[in-house]
């Protein structure tokens, strides 16, 4: 059992990787021996395996999830004067890809239960200048991507799925990254499928789009030293591809473990009487979604989120706030002059959500310690109020 002073990390990449160490070493040694550190066979094999896993015809490797988003908009020729619909409750890369190209992000609000883009808000935000929609599959759960794609199709607007946190997720049993014109994945080490460095992947069912993405990811060069377009240099190195191929074989087990931990939190927090509007609101699972639990985000009511996080930290329990400052309130986007009153659920989520430790090798004892600490916080509050 975990003792009272045992530290519970937010995540433990080393612990998760340890059972597969020999497989990693073997795969990496093969790359060393081959000398093919870029464009090695593992890269093409990983692309094929991700395409198959995501049930799409094409997958194109790139250097990061951020690059995947940028390349998608470059391939769509997004430019100054264009608008791209995106949530404000997301990571910076979902938005910076828009502004880097001189276009304007149009922030729309999220659903209060799943924290994902609200399809009705998407429909209301469309103008003649809307050139793309970027739904974010946040925390490992797909947005209502069927409705969003239907709305987009009615207006002939391409959808770029930000599935950076959602590999393996699905909606109506259809995988994330297979709904839009392009799907964007991140293999940052903390993701469910994490590299030992940075890497990303683009998926598409459209051969022309996939070819365009591949061209732009390689300096727009084809054939060598002949540049058809101004691209960027963005690729997965063979070491990362080799590691990811090993981890992809174990992704199903990792997702199963995460799902079990999520269910455990739901049960433990409910049994302790900690669930309620003035205490904790548990994550909602959309009945049409297969959630892969990249994060476990609870709502903490009554303005107590930051105090609870501090209480946990003092007792060695890790937690994180994704995301404390929504994108429309970031200093670098002040020039957009966004009216925060149009994004009430976004601002409420930023003030209330706290993400608890969740990773495949988290033990039941550690999970119990997390819940015990949360219970201790509310018990102390009740005594102080008495």
């Amino acid at each position: 059992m975990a003792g009272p002073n045992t530290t519970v990390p937010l995540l433990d990449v080393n612990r998760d990787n340890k059972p597969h160490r020999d497989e990693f070493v073997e795969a990496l040694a093969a790359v060393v021996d081959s000398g093919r550190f870029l464009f090695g066979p593992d890269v093409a094999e990983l692309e094929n395996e991700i395409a198959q896993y995501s049930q799409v015809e094409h997958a194109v490797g790139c250097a990061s999830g951020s690059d995947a988003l940028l390349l998608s908009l470059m391939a769509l020729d997004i430019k100054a004067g264009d608008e791209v619909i995106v949530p404000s409750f997301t990571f910076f890369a979902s938005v910076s890809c828009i502004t880097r190209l001189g276009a304007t992000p149009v922030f729309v609000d999220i659903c209060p239960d799943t924290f994902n883009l609200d399809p009705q808000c998407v429909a209301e935000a469309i103008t003649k200048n809307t050139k793309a929609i970027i739904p974010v599959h946040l925390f490992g759960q797909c947005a209502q991507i069927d409705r969003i794609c239907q709305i987009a199709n009615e207006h002939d607007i391409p959808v770029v799925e930000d599935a950076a946190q959602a590999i393996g997720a699905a909606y109506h049993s259809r995988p994330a990254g297979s709904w839009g014109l392009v799907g964007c994945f991140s293999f940052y080490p903390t993701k469910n499928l994490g590299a030992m460095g940075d890497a990303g992947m683009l998926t598409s069912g459209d051969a022309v789009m996939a070819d365009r993405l591949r061209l732009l990811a390689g300096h727009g060069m084809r054939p060598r030293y002949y540049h058809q377009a101004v691209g960027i240099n963005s690729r997965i190195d063979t070491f990362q591809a080799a590691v990811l191929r090993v981890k992809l074989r174990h992704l199903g087990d990792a997702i199963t473990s995460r799902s079990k931990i999520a269910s455990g939190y739901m049960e433990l927090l409910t049994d302790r009487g900690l669930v309620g509007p003035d205490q904790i609101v548990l994550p909602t699972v959309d009945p049409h979604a297969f959630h892969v639990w990249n994060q476990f985000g609870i709502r903490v009511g009554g303005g107590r989120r930051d105090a609870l996080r501090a209480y946990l930290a003092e007792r060695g329990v890790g937690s994180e706030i994704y995301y404390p400052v929504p994108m429309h309130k970031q200093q670098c986007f002040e020039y957009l002059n966004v009216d925060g009153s149009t994004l009430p659920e976004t601002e409420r989520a930023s003030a209330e959500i706290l993400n608890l430790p969740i990773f495949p090798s988290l033990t039941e004892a550690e999970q119990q310690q997390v819940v015990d600490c949360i219970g201790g916080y509310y018990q102390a509050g009740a005594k102080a109020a008495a």
Side-chain angles (χ1 to χ4, degrees):
M1 286 292 291
N5 298 315
T6 302
T7 299
V8 182
L10 178 69
L11 70 161
D12 192 332
V13 172
N14 282 343
R15 201 198 303 175
D16 287 339
N17 283 339
K18 189 174 181 180
H20 315 304
R21 185 181 186 279
D22 290 346
E23 291 177 86
F24 294 140
V25 171
E26 182 181 354
L28 291 169
V31 177
V32 171
D33 292 342
S34 76
R36 298 184 64 182
F37 306 127
L38 295 170
F39 308 112
D42 280 304
V43 176
E45 287 299 319
L46 178 67
E47 290 177 339
N48 291 335
E49 289 164 7
I50 294 294
Q52 185 175 5
Y53 185 80
S54 302
Q55 297 179 21
V56 295
E57 291 296 317
H58 310 279
V60 178
C62 61
S64 66
S66 300
D67 275 7
L69 289 159
L70 178 61
L71 285 162
S72 298
L73 297 193
M74 289 172 66
L76 291 171
D77 195 29
I78 300 297
K79 55 189 180 299
D82 294 341
E83 295 176 354
V84 179
I85 292 173
V86 67
S88 177
F89 190 64
T90 184
F91 180 63
F92 179 74
S94 309
V95 182
S96 62
C97 60
I98 303 167
T99 59
R100 279 184 178 277
L101 299 177
T104 302
V106 175
F107 296 116
V108 304
D109 214 2
I110 55 173
C111 299
D113 51 358
T114 64
F115 320 129
N116 278 322
L117 208 55
D118 186 327
Q120 185 58 41
C121 294
V122 170
E124 293 168 358
I126 291 173
T127 73
K128 61 180 175 56
N129 295 319
T130 306
K131 303 301 181 188
I133 300 170
I134 303 179
V136 179
H137 301 319
L138 201 70
F139 299 162
Q141 178 167 221
C142 288
Q144 296 175 51
I145 192 66
D146 56 344
R147 290 184 60 196
I148 292 170
C149 284
Q150 181 182 8
I151 292 164
N153 289 340
E154 289 170 359
H155 296 272
D156 196 25
I157 299 170
V159 171
V160 174
E161 292 178 74
D162 183 342
Q165 301 178 6
I167 189 157
Y171 205 73
H172 289 297
S173 301
R174 181 172 167 181
S178 70
W179 286 84
L181 180 60
V182 185
C184 301
F185 293 95
S186 168
F187 300 135
Y188 187 77
T190 60
K191 297 296 191 289
N192 287 15
L193 181 62
M196 292 182 182
D198 222 337
M201 189 72 71
L202 296 135
T203 55
S204 183
D206 186 295
V208 174
M209 173 55 70
D211 185 67
R212 181 73 175 168
L213 293 167
R214 193 176 296 280
L215 176 71
L216 292 172
H219 290 298
M221 183 171 63
R222 190 184 295 161
R224 193 165 178 81
Y225 303 124
Y226 290 80
H227 298 266
Q228 302 178 20
V230 178
I232 61 175
N233 175 31
S234 185
R235 56 199 171 203
I236 297 180
D237 68 66
T238 313
F239 283 119
Q240 301 305 335
V243 165
L244 288 163
R245 290 189 68 207
V246 171
K247 296 188 81 170
L248 184 59
R249 295 199 291 267
H250 303 286
L251 180 57
D253 290 339
I255 290 171
T256 298
S257 295
R258 287 174 176 273
S259 298
K260 182 180 177 183
I261 292 163
S263 297
Y265 272 133
M266 302 273 201
E267 185 176 333
L268 289 168
L269 289 165
T270 301
D271 288 350
R272 283 290 294 268
L274 296 170
V275 176
D278 295 326
Q279 292 179 299
I280 286 169
V281 177
L282 296 173
T284 297
V285 178
D286 184 321
H288 303 302
F290 177 67
H291 201 319
V292 294
W293 299 105
N294 185 236
Q295 305 294 344
F296 187 89
I298 59 172
R299 279 192 188 272
V300 182
R304 292 178 165 184
R305 191 268 311 274
D306 294 350
L308 173 57
R309 188 182 185 214
Y311 185 93
L312 295 175
E314 289 167 4
R315 287 151 184 81
V317 173
S319 65
E320 187 56 273
I321 298 171
Y322 306 109
Y323 299 94
V325 182
M327 288 301 109
H328 70 279
K329 298 184 80 169
Q330 295 287 346
Q331 182 179 344
C332 61
F333 297 133
E334 284 179 354
Y335 70 94
L336 294 168
N337 295 316
V338 175
D339 180 2
S341 68
T342 64
L343 300 164
E345 293 301 340
T346 295
E347 297 201 347
R348 187 162 75 93
S350 289
E352 293 183 351
I353 290 177
L354 183 67
N355 302 85
L356 303 181
I358 187 166
F359 54 94
S361 57
L362 185 74
T363 67
E364 290 183 11
E366 287 173 322
Q367 194 172 16
Q368 184 68 61
Q369 187 179 344
V370 173
V371 175
D372 286 346
C373 273
I374 294 172
Y377 169 78
Y378 283 103
Q379 189 174 6
K383 287 180 179 177

